[in-house]
Amino acid sequence: VLFRSLDVKGNGVRIIGFHGMGGIGKTTLAKALFNKLVSHFKTRSFISNVRQISQDSGLTYLQSKFLGDVNSTVPPTIHDIARGIIYIKEAVHDKPVLLVLDDIDDANQLNALAGGRDWFYEGSRIIITTRTKEVLPQNIVDEVYEVNGLIYPEALQLFSYHAFGREKPNMDFMKLSEQIVNLTGGLPLALE
C-alpha cells in the first residue's frame, strides 16, 4: 500500500509522512521504503535524526548535508537558513529526488529542508517521519500514516529472532518470552 501511494513511476511530487511514538518503527519503515525506491533515483538523500542534529549542529548543517547528497558539485558552506533554502531549491528543481527526513519535530526543520512542493522536480518522492503529526502540514504532505506497534504474533517473532536467532522461542522459554513481549507493547525497538 505504501509503495503504491508513492507511485514511483507517476508524475508530480509525492510526499508522505509517518507519525507515531518513539521506538515504534517509523525509521525502520522509512529505511525499507528508501531501499526499495533508491534504484529509481540518481539523486537521493536520507537524513537521519533531524531532531537531534538540528539541536546539536543547527539547520544550516542539515541543509549542507542535504546539498552534499544531491549536488554533484561541491556545495557551498551555508551560514544562513534563507541562503540554504535558495541553494536547495536550485539543486532539486531540475531532477527527481528521493528524500527521507527522519525524526522531524519542528515545522522550521521541514521548512528549511523541504518547505514547498514547488521546490522539487516532477517525480520527486519525499518521506518524513515524526513523533508529532502536527508538523506534517496538509498543504505539503499528500498522505499521513500513523505507525502502530506490532501485533502479538509479529512481536513474538521479532523478539525470538533477536533473543534466540529463531522464529519461535523453544518451549522452555515460551512463557518468559510471552511476558516480555506483553511488557513491550509491541514496540520494535523494545523487542530488539
Side-chain angles (χ1 to χ4, degrees), residues 162-182:
H162 284 276
F164 309 112
R166 52 191 299 182
E167 191 172 329
K168 290 182 181 177
N170 66 33
M171 293 314 292
D172 295 338
F173 292 103
M174 183 59 83
K175 185 145 183 79
L176 180 60
S177 296
E178 289 171 348
Q179 290 171 337
I180 292 170
V181 168
N182 285 329

Side-chain angles (χ1 to χ4, degrees), residues 6 14-20 26-27 29-30 33 46-47 50 98-107 109-111 113-117 120 125-133 135-137 140-145 147:
L6 283 166
R14 298 283 301 156
I15 303 173
I16 65 169
F18 299 122
H19 71 93
K26 300 177 300 293
T27 300
L29 182 57
L33 282 170
F46 191 115
I47 303 177
V50 170
L98 173 61
L99 171 62
V100 174
L101 299 173
D102 175 52
D103 199 18
I104 294 268
D105 75 334
D106 184 306
Q109 296 160 348
L110 185 58
N111 292 336
L113 297 165
R117 302 173 70 75
F120 295 91
R125 300 297 181 258
I126 301 157
I127 300 166
I128 303 164
T129 72
T130 181
R131 295 178 184 188
T132 312
K133 182 180 179 181
V135 299
L136 299 171
I140 294 177
V141 180
D142 295 303
E143 294 183 51
V144 176
Y145 298 94
V147 180

Side-chain angles (χ1 to χ4, degrees), residues 4 9 11 28 40 48 57 68 97 119 124 128 134-135 180:
R4 277 193 309 248
K9 302 257 190 238
N11 291 328
T28 302
H40 299 279
S48 300
S57 305
V97 174
W119 292 15
S124 291
I128 303 164
E134 290 71 36
V135 299
I180 292 170

Side-chain angles (χ1 to χ4, degrees), residues 6-150:
L6 283 166
D7 186 22
V8 75
K9 302 257 190 238
N11 291 328
V13 174
R14 298 283 301 156
I15 303 173
I16 65 169
F18 299 122
H19 71 93
M21 70 172 73
I24 201 77
K26 300 177 300 293
T27 300
T28 302
L29 182 57
K31 283 179 185 174
L33 282 170
F34 183 84
N35 289 337
K36 191 163 187 146
L37 295 171
V38 75
S39 65
H40 299 279
F41 293 87
K42 289 182 179 150
T43 307
R44 54 202 180 244
S45 179
F46 191 115
I47 303 177
S48 300
N49 303 313
V50 170
R51 175 176 48 92
Q52 190 64 50
I53 293 171
S54 177
Q55 290 172 0
D56 295 346
S57 305
L59 289 174
T60 55
Y61 176 86
L62 289 166
Q63 289 176 319
S64 294
K65 159 109 176 79
F66 182 27
L67 281 169
D69 290 347
V70 301
N71 196 347
S72 58
T73 62
V74 177
T77 303
I78 299 171
H79 299 291
D80 120 335
I81 293 169
R83 175 67 58 198
I85 288 172
I86 292 168
Y87 291 140
I88 289 171
K89 285 180 180 180
E90 289 173 1
V92 300
H93 82 283
D94 63 349
K95 55 190 164 272
V97 174
L98 173 61
L99 171 62
V100 174
L101 299 173
D102 175 52
D103 199 18
I104 294 268
D105 75 334
D106 184 306
N108 292 327
Q109 296 160 348
L110 185 58
N111 292 336
L113 297 165
R117 302 173 70 75
D118 58 339
W119 292 15
F120 295 91
Y121 190 75
E122 292 285 310
S124 291
R125 300 297 181 258
I126 301 157
I127 300 166
I128 303 164
T129 72
T130 181
R131 295 178 184 188
T132 312
K133 182 180 179 181
E134 290 71 36
V135 299
L136 299 171
Q138 292 178 351
N139 64 326
I140 294 177
V141 180
D142 295 303
E143 294 183 51
V144 176
Y145 298 94
E146 182 174 4
V147 180
N148 296 308
L150 297 173

